[in-house]
Amino acid sequence: MDAERTNGAEDGAGENGQVANGRTAGGQAAGRQISDGRATEERTPTVRSTGRWRGIVAVALLAVAVGVLAKRPSLLLVGAVGVAFAAYPLVTAPPDPDLSVSRVVDPESPADGDAVHVRTTVRNEGDGTLFDLRVVDGTPAMLSVCGGSPRCATMLRPGEEVTVEYRVRARPGRHRFQPTTLLCRDAGGSVEVETAVAAETTIECSARVPTAPLRARSRPRSGPLVTDEAGEGIEFHSVTEYERGDPARRIDWRRFARTGELTSVAFRTERLADVVICVDARPEAYRASDSSEPHAVAHAVDAAGRLGDVLLDANHRVGLAAFGRASCLLAPGNGVDHADRFRRYLASDPAFSLTPPPSVRARRTQPGTDAGDPRATDGVILDRQLSELRAHVGTNTQVILLTPLCDDEAHRIAQRIESDGPAVTVVSPDVTTGRTPGGRLARLERDHRLTTLRNAGIPAVDWDPDEPLGAALATVERGIR
């Protein structure tokens, strides 16, 4: 059963006690993850009219008029009932829901392809009855539902709760649940209140990226990035004639014993890198191969998190940026506090929103631009965001640009950043499809953009999201070293 309604004072008491006793400071219990939240913690409720009884006034007046002219009391009674329905939303207050949400995920750290059981419970904490409550759990954008349903509709009396149970299919990466959307209508269905409750829950499927594709630019400090510079290291670089003052440990004594020549061995210097992981979150990037599949921005945000983890673990200085509907810029840094800030930005900043934007035609234009061409507004906003990025990115900084390359502007962005000095590497999730003529054309255009970038000297990773990210990165890494 997908949804189960219980009374918190009776049937739900044991379950609530188990959650309360099992929860720790980090929200973990007995191999499961347990999270809870309250509606007032997420956002201000939205109140709107449903228009359900729209037109009832005209029908009621017509019935009254016909009843008077025809001297039919029954029609007058019908008109009175219609007037009562029309006046109901005007004399009653909209619902004021006080709801809490708790979620149990089992297992918390599944293997790739495993089914994860999710149990989300919504409880009426208020004193009033909720006659029409719709629940939509915020499943992670990258995970598909493979059993049950994350939706339900029910009525909740004070103290009662409803439980939604379903299963999602695990995929590699760290996946965060979105806030649970709750929509409550009054008894007549004429007014609805929409709110959201964030019960912080994550599912982490181990698929660690073994390395990140960095180019041979670095800061003058020791680190794990192999450069083209000769000096200290472990990878052979070259043999040079011995010069006075060269360290004795770098003298090739075997060559000296064999030929009598005194030479020094140089190795590839290993340094730290400043890296900014940049996500293309423009409206054009919210594309998917199918309506049931994650869109490209969801893939990019997931890859950004995994690349950030591996680079921060290697003690590189890592920053974060995004451009699109909103901009975000986190300066490069390292350390535990910076790693937490990096993950928090990626999970909660509006610039990385996984909710697709409205249609380009429906978006309002900004003052001072061509109101008849929304793309003019997009171009102005993009230029400003790129200017802000270039102002905070030094010439020794590397930029990993995550973009689906779904339009010509995407590869021009990479070339514009590269022309200002930073070394750019493009990682492109492939969300094209070959099932339709339009999809095949889009795939050919994307292949052409990849070729254009590579011909311009910019490494470009062609990543099929159905394949491991680490394998795709390894192919380009061998080419840029």
Side-chain angles (χ1 to χ4, degrees), residues 282-284 287 324 359-366 368-385 407-409 412 416:
R282 295 174 300 129
E284 293 79 5
R287 295 189 182 181
S359 172
V360 174
R361 295 180 182 177
R363 295 200 309 273
R364 297 180 179 178
T365 58
Q366 299 293 326
T369 62
D370 183 4
D373 186 5
R375 291 175 297 180
T377 300
D378 295 339
V380 171
I381 295 175
L382 180 60
D383 288 341
R384 185 179 69 248
Q385 292 173 346
D407 61 353
D408 289 337
E409 189 64 35
R412 282 198 290 265
R416 289 167 62 181

Side-chain angles (χ1 to χ4, degrees), residues 84-97:
F85 273 107
Y88 177 80
L90 302 177
V91 298
T92 59
D96 185 18

